[in-house]
Each structure stands twice: as structure tokens, then as C-alpha cells.
Amino acid sequence: MPHSPARLKEMLDEGTRQFCVPGASLGVWTGDTLSEAAAGVCNIETKVPVTPETLFQIGSITKLYTAALAMQLVEEGKLALDVPVRTLLPDFKVKDESVAARVTLRHLLSHTSGIMGDYFKDAGRGEDRVARFTAMMAALDQVHEPGEMFSYCNTGFVAAGRMIEVANGTTWDKAIRQRLAKPLDTPSFSTLPEQAMRYQTAIGHLGQPGRMMVTPIAYLAASNGPAGATPMAKARDVVTFMRMMMALGVAANGNRVLSAGSVEAMHSMNIVCPKGMNIDAIGLATFMWDWDGDGTYEVFGHDGSTIGQAAWARYHPASSTAFCLLTNGGNGKALADRLIREIFSDAAGIAPPELPKPYAALAIAPARYLGRYANTMEEIEVSEEDGKLVVTVTPAPDYAVMSGGPKRISLEPASAELFLGVPPGMTLPQSWHFLGDDGTGRARWLHSGVRAHKRV
């Protein structure tokens, strides 16, 4: 049975206190009813209360919107999923010329391009900012070959945003307002700070419980907008988008936003994730889960994270259940896990499987794992201490504020490939997958935080 607004409020109040989340907004659609709840404050300094009308940064949930824009243009014959990006953007470059010549929009939207994904250089605020950022991608290395594996790629979505601009003849911001926010009837959905200022907004918070501070950087660079750097929304706005997806492209107001075929394409598996990751497979932008273990994907959505804010979106079309949680700091991951399990269990009769458990008795050969792994955002040193693997994560200078600084995490094996470790200030384990072979029996990649880090 659906939860009442009073019960949702009680759950959210209790969870924000327990997991030290400054503020949160929750929207749940079950069957034919929208329920909302809010808790905490928008800013620990001003102490303005969060309400369901408060806008939070939705981070990479934005990628669902960017993919939906792309699919609208595919329907119109202005974009194609499986032809090279250079067909539309002849000047597109990355460091590896062979990749630049053959990477496709499908690679970009499914995080399989292999292009280094975390590159948050600011290309300015002009209307050509997405074009300028895409030109800056010429400096980016590969972490793997296109189609070889899944590695989360923000930069790929900025390039996809540029393709949308060229195909649509407008900026990405205008395209998302005209093609999605307006037909969905979600006018508060904002892609720029000056739009969000029309509403009450939440600010992010950094630090550990008891030592939190308002983030000194409110937004990531606007040039990364198509990947999720700047958009803000109410939980209700995101629920409205998910309702459209569950209705095979028809919005609650009757407007057709996508064709049923486009929704099916976004929900169709392009790549399977390593076993034990918190995502089972990737469609077109869409995260996909097989919660009931029947071999099919029945739950869809996305997570989002910016500086001091995090968001979760899940929807289960079979029961017409949609969930959106927006937070502005603290251990939001644990709060989201608790709420998702209870709400979907009661409303849809389905819930995520239990998290992987460590297998302490498993004998491992440390030499396969030890060494340094890196991407543009961070370097990870894997060492052995008292018979256990320990990872030391050191962010690159440009990402120190975003990541919260260096971390040391002790790992426990769950299998020969999968290890588990709990980051500081969190209560749930993060997965660490050691994948591939560098030719000497050592792992070629360390996959963590949904990103591949290449052995260096």
C-alpha cells in the first residue's frame, strides 16, 4: 500500500536526523497519487526550512533529460545513434584520433566511449560554452576502447549536449526548456542559477557529521550543464519526468514527449555492469536494475551528485511507482537506501537485493591488486596492510573540494574481483572491482564509484 504523506514525513524526519542530512525533499508517485515530504533546512547558516517547493541540484539525473532530448531528435531524423559523432561535429577530437573518428552518440549516452569522463574545466558562461567545452575534449585520454566496458563519462554527455545544440539550432538550455520542461509542465526546472533564483533553493554542504559547512562553491561549471552541473528542480518535477517515461512517453497533462520506441530504446540494455556494482546495466543514460532476479530489468532511474548535494530517482513501470529524493549533504546514500527499500516494498512489492557481503575467508593473491590506478579526477594507491588491501584515494588538485579530500579505506573481499569498503562518514559499503589483466597477471583497471581507473 502507498505511504501517506504523514508517514513519508515521519520517515524523512527520522532519516535526516540519523544520517546527518541537513535537508531533503521527497516525492513519491504510487498508482495514481503523488505524495510529498520535506525535512531539515536549505542552509545550516540561514536555517530556512526545506519545503516540497524547494529546488535542489539534481546532478546527473539531468542525463536522463539529455538522453530524452537526443531521442526526440533521433525521431525527427536530425540525430542518429550509431553513426560517428563527426558526422554532425566534423571537428570533434579526443587524444586518440581513431576513437574520435568512430565514437557514436550511443557510446556517449551509454557511458561506453572510454573517453576520460571527469573533466570539469570551466568553458565560461557564454551561449557557446558547450561548444567551447567540447573543443577542449581534444586533451582527453582514453581509459578503455569504445564499447569495451562501462565507465561513467560526464564529458560524453557534454558532447551529446553539443550534438543536440547543432541538431536543434538552439542552446542546450533552450532545448531542454522548450522540448521538456514546457511540455511536461514543470516550469521550475532550471538549468541556470538565474532561473533557479525565482524559487527557494537549497545549498550544498561538505564535511563529516558534526563538522559540516556550506560549500564554498555553489555550482559546477555551467559548460558541463548537459551532464548535470547546474540543473535544479523540485522532487515533484523529477517524478513528473519519470511518470512520462512509465507512460511510454506521454506526460501527465496528455502531451506526447517521446515515442514509445524512444522510451524502449532508453530502457534497453547497452552494457552490463560488473557484478556486485550498485547498477546492473546501462541503457541510454538510464540506470537499470533486476531487483527480482528474473533476468530482466524492471526498475530504472539515475543518481545525481554535485558539490555537497545528491539525488536519487527510481521508477518501476509495472506498478507505476516513482521515487525521487533530493538532499544537500550528509550520508544521503544511506537515507536513500532505507527509503527506497521501504517505499518500493510496500508500494510495489519489490525492493533492491541485499548488498554484497564480504567473505573474509577468501584467499587472495595481493600482487594482482597492488599498485596505482588513476583517472583525471583522482589517483588510487592500493597497498597491503596486515594481510588486507587498503586504498588511499588522492583527488587531483582541481577536484579536492568536490571530493572532500584524501581518503583511506580498508577493503574486504567479496570475490576475487569484488572488494567492499566503507568511505569515511558513510555507513554503506562502496564496491571496488579489479578488472582485466595487464599481461602480467595484475588487474588492468580498478572500477569504483562507477568509474574505471587505469593502472599507471
Side-chain angles (χ1 to χ4, degrees):
M1 294 292 293
H3 286 78
S4 68
R7 175 56 182 151
L8 289 182
K9 172 65 173 169
E10 179 185 348
M11 293 164 63
L12 200 58
D13 283 339
E14 178 187 346
T16 52
R17 287 193 300 269
Q18 178 176 354
F19 298 114
C20 300
V21 174
S25 181
L26 175 65
V28 179
W29 177 263
T30 51
D32 59 1
T33 302
L34 174 67
S35 299
E36 298 177 279
V41 296
C42 299
N43 181 320
I44 60 173
E45 295 177 359
T46 65
K47 296 181 170 52
V48 173
V50 175
T51 78
E53 303 303 315
T54 304
L55 272 60
F56 286 72
Q57 292 183 32
I58 64 169
S60 288
I61 292 174
T62 304
K63 291 180 173 69
L64 296 176
Y65 289 74
T66 296
L69 286 175
M71 291 311 299
Q72 288 178 339
L73 294 163
V74 169
E75 292 172 18
E76 296 169 14
K78 297 176 181 177
L79 287 178
L81 289 171
D82 297 309
V83 301
V85 171
R86 278 187 174 171
T87 304
L88 188 69
L89 305 180
D91 296 328
F92 178 75
K93 292 181 182 178
V94 292
K95 264 193 179 178
D96 188 326
E97 170 58 24
S98 71
V99 171
R102 58 194 163 96
V103 72
T104 66
L105 178 60
R106 185 183 298 276
H107 287 134
L108 302 181
L109 295 180
S110 61
H111 299 282
T112 58
S113 70
I115 299 167
M116 283 290 184
D118 294 305
Y119 187 71
F120 296 103
K121 298 292 185 183
D122 192 346
R125 283 294 309 269
E127 290 203 341
D128 62 344
R129 59 187 176 276
V130 175
R132 289 204 305 270
F133 182 93
T134 304
M136 292 163 62
M137 289 177 62
L140 298 182
D141 287 307
Q142 291 297 116
V143 67
H144 60 78
E145 280 291 299
E148 184 176 12
M149 63 190 300
F150 155 68
S151 183
Y152 199 77
C153 187
N154 283 298
T155 55
F157 274 79
V158 183
R162 179 57 185 154
M163 295 177 73
I164 289 165
E165 291 187 331
V166 172
N168 195 55
T170 67
T171 64
W172 172 84
D173 299 83
K174 289 179 181 176
I176 207 167
R177 287 197 297 273
Q178 294 169 355
R179 285 178 166 267
L180 291 177
K182 186 174 181 179
L184 287 169
D185 197 20
T186 55
S188 54
F189 184 96
S190 303
T191 61
L192 295 168
E194 53 266 33
Q195 296 167 355
M197 285 174 64
R198 299 172 297 165
Y199 303 90
Q200 183 186 87
T201 60
I203 189 72
H205 297 82
L206 302 174
Q208 303 300 321
R211 293 180 286 116
M212 282 195 171
M213 58 174 282
V214 172
T215 175
I217 302 172
Y219 288 91
L220 295 168
S223 48
N224 280 73
T230 52
M232 300 192 78
K234 303 170 186 176
R236 182 190 318 142
D237 296 337
V238 180
V239 169
T240 299
F241 178 92
M242 291 188 284
R243 288 179 60 193
M244 177 272 293
M245 294 294 288
M246 293 193 296
L248 298 179
V250 179
N253 58 15
N255 289 330
R256 177 161 288 283
V257 177
L258 287 172
S259 71
S262 289
V263 173
E264 182 181 355
M266 288 180 66
H267 288 171
S268 296
M269 184 270 290
N270 280 282
I271 194 82
V272 174
C273 299
K275 187 175 177 58
M277 190 180 285
N278 64 336
I279 310 164
D280 293 337
I282 306 293
L284 295 176
T286 315
F287 291 175
M288 304 166 60
W289 291 272
D290 174 16
W291 282 358
D292 61 11
D294 68 353
T296 61
Y297 304 107
E298 65 279 332
V299 178
F300 308 95
H302 213 289
D303 297 346
S305 180
T306 61
I307 302 179
Q309 300 200 46
W312 291 264
R314 300 285 184 275
Y315 57 100
H316 180 236
S319 66
S320 191
T321 303
F323 167 101
C324 179
L325 174 68
L326 308 177
T327 66
N328 62 347
N331 189 4
K333 183 177 180 181
L335 174 60
D337 183 74
R338 172 180 292 182
L339 294 175
I340 287 170
R341 288 180 184 280
E342 180 167 340
I343 288 169
F344 277 91
S345 292
D346 290 350
I350 192 169
E354 291 301 315
L355 297 172
K357 296 287 193 293
Y359 179 39
L362 181 68
I364 63 168
R368 169 165 170 75
Y369 313 103
L370 304 181
R372 287 187 301 124
Y373 305 80
N375 59 23
T376 52
M377 191 165 67
E378 60 196 9
E379 181 175 283
I380 302 175
E381 179 81 31
V382 182
S383 57
E384 183 183 8
E385 297 181 12
D386 299 324
K388 290 187 175 182
L389 297 185
V390 175
V391 294
T392 302
V393 184
T394 305
D398 289 345
Y399 305 99
V401 172
M402 187 188 312
S403 68
K407 301 178 181 69
R408 277 175 53 84
I409 304 169
S410 179
L411 303 186
E412 297 279 354
S415 71
E417 177 183 282
L418 171 62
F419 287 70
L420 304 171
V422 181
M426 300 291 127
T427 55
L428 296 178
Q430 181 176 340
S431 62
W432 304 76
H433 288 84
F434 292 85
L435 304 175
D437 192 302
D438 71 348
T440 69
R442 302 182 305 170
R444 188 176 178 191
W445 294 282
L446 172 51
H447 210 298
S448 186
V450 300
R451 292 158 169 83
H453 302 72
K454 191 161 55 174
R455 182 182 285 278
V456 295

